[in-house]
Amino acid sequence: RTARCGRSQSQTRLAHAKKFLEVAELVATEGDAIPASASVAAALAVLAGIAASDAACCAVLGRRPRGQDHAQALDLVQQVSPGGIEAAKHLNRLLDIKDTAHYGVIHVSGTELKSALRNAQALFKFAEAQLRK
């Protein structure tokens, strides 16, 4: 299931990604002192990555995933050229920790948080590059 989208929606999703990422980075600074903050920051990083991949897909493909199947999102972002295959790897890594970060009953580790932030940042840069075309 996909939804049509274009330049305007792409810019909106990129703005969402930027804000999710900014807040994730801010909350991440509390991670050592407040264990729950690592999970919240990772959850925000996941949302940033999803929004960034939506932005790239809207900008290049004119559609974005709208279903519950995350494999579809990976398939779509892979189609974005250049860089879609690498972007899909970053998105997949974020999706791997989504359940733990969003719904888990244990805290995300510091290592998982750093990885989530790196992957979200990479997806944001990827999406920005697609919008510059």
Side-chain angles (χ1 to χ4, degrees), residues 92-103:
N92 192 48
R93 289 181 196 120
L94 286 170
L95 294 174
D96 281 346
I97 67 158
K98 181 183 182 289
D99 283 347
T100 301
H102 286 188
Y103 316 113

Side-chain angles (χ1 to χ4, degrees), residues 63-124:
R63 59 192 173 111
R64 66 186 179 114
R66 293 297 299 145
Q68 295 296 319
D69 182 5
H70 294 306
Q72 183 185 32
L74 296 171
D75 289 343
L76 275 179
V77 79
Q78 282 180 357
Q79 296 173 34
V80 176
S81 183
I85 292 172
E86 189 64 27
K89 291 176 186 175
H90 291 295
L91 181 59
N92 192 48
R93 289 181 196 120
L94 286 170
L95 294 174
D96 281 346
I97 67 158
K98 181 183 182 289
D99 283 347
T100 301
H102 286 188
Y103 316 113
V105 293
I106 60 170
H107 297 299
V108 168
S109 72
T111 301
E112 290 171 314
L113 173 57
K114 288 177 187 172
S115 174
L117 290 170
R118 276 194 309 272
N119 285 295
Q121 291 161 348
L123 279 164
F124 182 78

Side-chain angles (χ1 to χ4, degrees), residues 2 6 12 16-17 21 30 38 40 43 48 56-58 60 64 74 81 83 91 98 103 108 116 123 129:
T2 63
T12 298
H16 292 167
L21 189 53
E30 302 174 340
V40 171
C57 289
C58 286
V60 176
R64 66 186 179 114
L74 296 171
S81 183
L91 181 59
K98 181 183 182 289
Y103 316 113
V108 168
L123 279 164

